[in-house]
Amino acid sequence: MNIEKEIDVDKIFEKIESYFGFVPKIFQVMAEKPATLKTYYEKLETINNDDTLPSLTKEFVAIGAASAIGAENCLLTHLKVAEKFGAKQEQLLLAILMGSLIAETDALSKSLRVYENFKEQV
């Protein structure tokens, strides 16, 4: 029995679309491997259903992370979802600025450590 044939990709897509408002490209491509899509979606669903943080807060985290790593498509997707959950423009901008600040701080931290080590060798 082929497990891939038993997975209802359309049902997964319906759930994804109800959350994001569309089916992001990563899910569309993963549908070529339904078991992989199902596993990835179940992880997303588990995190989204965890009420330790409110949904909007999780979206702010996603926005900051997407900003930090330069994931433009993810950033745009999570901006839209956060807006749907009631985020204000200034909150969206702050989440981007926080994520970018962390990325900059990480780059500076690594670079300045190399610089400090370099100075000690001279």
Side-chain angles (χ1 to χ4, degrees):
M1 184 173 350
N2 186 348
I3 193 166
E4 300 272 330
K5 291 182 181 179
E6 294 178 19
I7 296 170
D8 189 345
V9 171
D10 290 334
K11 186 174 182 176
I12 295 170
F13 277 3
E14 285 175 21
K15 291 178 181 180
I16 292 168
E17 187 168 1
S18 74
Y19 185 80
F20 291 107
F22 68 103
V23 179
K25 189 67 157 179
I26 62 169
F27 297 108
Q28 294 173 32
V29 174
M30 274 194 272
E32 294 177 20
K33 294 285 193 178
T36 302
L37 170 66
K38 181 178 185 282
T39 300
Y40 189 82
Y41 174 72
E42 286 173 348
K43 180 170 46 172
L44 171 68
E45 188 175 46
T46 298
I47 292 168
N48 281 342
N49 289 336
D50 184 331
D51 63 359
T52 304
L53 290 174
S55 295
L56 183 55
T57 301
K58 287 183 268 193
E59 287 304 317
F60 288 141
V61 171
I63 290 166
S67 177
I69 64 171
E72 293 177 20
N73 291 329
C74 293
L75 177 58
L76 182 57
T77 295
H78 290 283
L79 286 169
K80 289 177 183 178
V81 173
E83 186 176 58
K84 180 176 85 172
F85 288 157
K88 296 178 174 79
Q89 294 301 310
E90 58 269 15
Q91 292 173 310
L92 299 174
L93 178 57
L94 183 59
I96 291 170
L97 293 173
M98 289 296 298
S100 297
L101 180 64
I102 294 301
E104 179 184 5
T105 301
D106 181 55
L108 277 171
S109 173
K110 291 173 183 172
S111 298
L112 293 176
R113 281 185 177 85
V114 170
Y115 173 71
E116 287 289 306
N117 290 335
F118 175 78
K119 282 191 338 184
E120 292 171 6
Q121 294 173 9
V122 177

